[in-house]
Amino acid sequence: AAGVIQSPRHLIKEKRETATLKCYPIPRHDTVYWYQQGPGQDPQFLISFYEKMQSDKGSIPDRFSAQQFSDYHSELNMSSLELGDSALYFCASSFGTGEINYGYTFGSGTRLTVV
Amino acid sequence: DQQVKQNSPSLSVQEGRISILNCDYTNSMFDYFLWYKKYPAEGPTFLISISSIKDKNEDGRFTVFLNKSAKHLSLHIVPSQPGDSAVYFCAASDGSQGNLIFGKGTKLSVKP
C-alpha cells in the first residue's frame, strides 16, 4: 500500500539559507500534519492542513510557512535557517480529522542539518 | 510544560516476558490516546489507540490500559519479542483539530 512520501530524506543547509520540504499524503487523504523532532526530543506539532486550508497551528516559527496544494501534497518552507532548526521533520496524513482512533500515517521524515 | 509525560527514557525486558510502558498526562480534555512505535530512520508507526470512554483496548500482543482518574495510561506487550525493540511514543489528542501531543518516548530493548 502507498505510504506517506517525504522528500528529500536528508538535507544539509547553511545558516540563513532557505529549505523546502515536501510531503505527499496517502491517496485520498486530505489532511496533512507537520511535526518537528529535535535530537532527543518528542515530536512537536507545527501546523496542519485540511482540504488545502490551514486547520491548526502549533509551535511553528514565523520564519516557516507551509501550504497544501490542489493535489493535497504539502510543502514546508523554512527561511533564515538557524542551527536550532536541525531536526527530523515528519509529515503525517489522514482522511479528515475524525479517524484519530486509527492513528495517523507518518512518513519516514526529512532530516535537516543546518551548518 | 509537558502535557504528555513518559518518565522512563528506557526499559529493558527479557524475551517472552511482559513489557509495560507508562504514560501520564495533565490535560483532562484529551479524548484519544495513541501509542506509536518508532525505529531509527523511520517515521512513527501507529500501534494502538484508546478512547477516553474506555479503560482497556486489546490488539494481539498489545493492550492499552487507561486510568482517567489518575491521568495515566500504559501499554502492555505480552510476550515481548526482540523485534519489539524500538522507541515507543505515547500521544494524546483533544480531538479539536486532530493534532497529536507526544511524550518524549521510551526506548524498549527486548533481549533474547
Side-chain angles (χ1 to χ4, degrees):
Chain A
V4 175
I5 306 297
Q6 289 187 248
S7 69
R9 286 299 305 272
H10 302 274
L11 189 59
I12 299 175
K13 290 285 187 178
E14 295 189 356
K15 283 196 307 183
R16 292 179 289 278
E17 282 193 316
T18 61
T20 297
L21 309 186
K22 297 184 179 182
C23 171
Y24 296 87
I26 288 175
R28 287 202 323 114
H29 280 191
D30 52 13
T31 307
V32 168
Y33 308 83
W34 285 97
Y35 287 83
Q36 177 194 56
Q37 185 180 19
Q41 300 298 313
D42 50 301
Q44 292 284 329
F45 171 70
L46 291 178
I47 195 168
S48 61
F49 293 87
Y50 167 66
E51 278 293 342
K52 292 154 279 184
M53 300 285 290
Q54 180 181 308
S55 62
D56 199 10
K57 195 171 180 180
S59 52
I60 184 168
D62 292 339
R63 298 177 289 108
F64 295 5
S65 65
Q67 57 181 324
Q68 185 179 32
F69 294 85
S70 58
D71 63 351
Y72 295 106
H73 94 272
S74 178
E75 295 183 4
L76 177 65
N77 299 295
M78 312 158 73
S79 62
S80 303
L81 286 170
E82 302 173 356
L83 295 178
D85 296 329
S86 296
L88 262 174
Y89 290 84
F90 289 108
C91 168
S93 76
S94 68
F95 182 69
T97 59
E99 292 190 354
I100 191 167
N101 50 306
Y102 295 108
Y104 301 147
T105 304
F106 281 81
S108 297
T110 293
R111 180 171 292 282
L112 172 66
T113 303
V114 181
V115 297
Chain B
D1 187 30
Q2 196 79 12
Q3 295 189 69
V4 177
K5 301 176 186 178
Q6 293 178 258
N7 293 317
S8 298
S10 63
L11 174 68
S12 183
V13 170
Q14 204 68 32
E15 180 180 7
R17 307 293 275 264
I18 183 172
S19 295
I20 300 177
L21 298 119
N22 293 304
C23 178
D24 297 291
Y25 62 95
T26 58
N27 189 341
S28 57
M29 298 301 291
F30 288 148
D31 59 356
Y32 269 105
F33 303 90
L34 304 93
W35 284 95
Y36 281 83
K37 174 180 178 180
K38 185 181 180 304
Y39 293 115
E42 294 183 15
T45 302
F46 170 71
L47 267 180
I48 191 168
S49 68
I50 188 167
S51 161
S52 61
I53 63 173
K54 294 187 174 183
D55 56 18
K56 178 182 175 181
N57 189 24
E58 191 172 350
D59 184 3
R61 296 185 298 114
F62 302 92
T63 303
V64 56
F65 295 92
L66 175 63
N67 182 334
K68 280 189 68 177
S69 60
K71 294 192 176 69
H72 176 85
L73 65 152
S74 60
L75 174 68
H76 292 211
I77 306 174
V78 183
S80 301
Q81 299 172 355
D84 296 329
S85 298
V87 177
Y88 288 78
F89 287 98
C90 171
S93 171
D94 62 9
S96 58
Q97 296 292 343
N99 56 288
L100 300 176
I101 298 168
F102 284 85
K104 291 191 180 298
T106 296
K107 184 175 182 179
L108 173 67
S109 299
V110 180
K111 300 189 183 307

